[in-house]
Amino acid sequence: MTAPAGTPVRKSGSVYALGMRVTRLTPLSGAPLIGVDNCYVTDNLVKLDFTVEYREGTEVERLNGQGRACLYHATPKTVKRLVVDSLELCYPDPELEELLGGGDVLLDDEGRPIGHAAPEVGADPVPNGVGIELWSSAITDDGVDDELPYIWWTLPREYLSPTGVSVSADPMAAAFEGHGNQNPGWGNGPFNDWRWESGRVVQRVRQETMPNLSANGFVTVPPAV
């Protein structure tokens, strides 16, 4: 449903983690890496929790002979980075685990992924980081918004590592944590479809549609335009 021109966008909340795209980055510029097996689309997502971390300001103070402040100045807090508290998958996925946290995908005799090996000791598993895009539902009042029903989130450079694993009677969580930086090299994204500021630690926009993420596999990243 398209609203008449000039109609304000209705304010909406965000509910559900509908899926994500994870893209490899080039070593120097941080641009999406062009080619096959460089972007993974999936709806195997439980949640992504993150926090914008701030660097504390510096306080300068001088006391006079009576013990009272005669000079005081404090610099403001500034954005330091993004902290990814938890990126949790519904079930283990060897190819996605390698893309997010490094290591190796283990294959059977037919070349099918059947397992995952941790990165080697001392290795930097994902030195260039990855770009993550995810989608959530925009909820207005008591339902999904009928004009702009999706929220598209972009985190342009994330460095992640796996969290603890429990092999027990409980479902095993495949989860990651880490941090993210600004990335001006993200540009218009892996599919040349992001038209806004993209280099901050995180950004989001409301959208009418979202891509089909149910393939749970690699897609080819086209040349940038």
Side-chain angles (χ1 to χ4, degrees):
M1 176 180 176
T2 301
T7 303
V9 174
R10 290 181 294 182
K11 304 300 187 293
S12 298
S14 174
V15 179
Y16 306 123
L18 303 177
M20 65 180 176
R21 289 194 301 218
V22 182
T23 305
R24 302 186 201 275
L25 302 176
T26 56
L28 297 178
S29 70
L33 188 61
I34 296 167
V36 299
D37 294 347
N38 288 332
C39 180
Y40 200 90
V41 299
T42 182
D43 58 6
N44 175 22
L45 176 64
V46 173
K47 66 175 182 176
L48 195 158
D49 295 337
F50 61 83
T51 305
V52 177
E53 183 178 7
Y54 284 77
R55 181 179 287 106
E56 293 292 334
T58 301
E59 292 188 349
V60 179
E61 184 179 35
R62 187 171 178 82
L63 304 181
N64 64 17
Q66 302 175 53
R68 297 177 179 175
C70 59
L71 183 151
Y72 177 82
H73 181 262
T75 60
K77 290 183 178 181
T78 56
V79 174
K80 181 178 180 181
R81 61 180 183 172
L82 191 80
V83 176
V84 178
D85 302 295
S86 178
L87 188 160
E88 188 172 324
L89 307 179
C90 187
Y91 50 84
D93 180 329
E95 293 174 314
L96 185 53
E97 290 172 77
E98 180 275 328
L99 185 57
L100 291 169
D104 294 293
V105 177
L106 306 181
L107 307 174
D108 67 9
D109 293 338
E110 299 179 15
R112 298 176 300 180
I114 58 171
H116 177 264
E120 291 188 9
V121 172
D124 183 355
V126 188
N128 304 324
V130 294
I132 298 176
E133 303 164 273
L134 65 150
W135 284 261
S136 60
S137 293
I139 305 299
T140 303
D141 297 327
D142 60 352
V144 176
D145 189 79
D146 56 4
E147 179 192 358
L148 298 171
Y150 302 106
I151 303 174
W152 182 6
W153 304 77
T154 296
L155 292 70
R157 191 194 288 269
E158 308 307 307
Y159 298 92
L160 304 175
S161 58
T163 59
V165 173
S166 174
V167 181
S168 66
D170 298 321
M172 186 179 78
F176 299 80
E177 63 185 8
H179 72 275
N181 296 335
Q182 290 193 159
N183 181 16
W186 183 256
N188 57 8
F191 294 94
N192 305 303
D193 50 2
W194 181 273
R195 300 185 287 108
W196 307 271
E197 167 63 47
S198 66
R200 310 292 170 78
V201 293
V202 62
Q203 39 264 303
R204 71 179 190 273
V205 294
R206 296 278 298 279
Q207 289 287 280
E208 292 185 46
T209 62
M210 63 170 284
N212 182 359
L213 304 173
S214 62
N216 292 305
F218 283 107
V219 293
T220 299
V221 177
V225 295

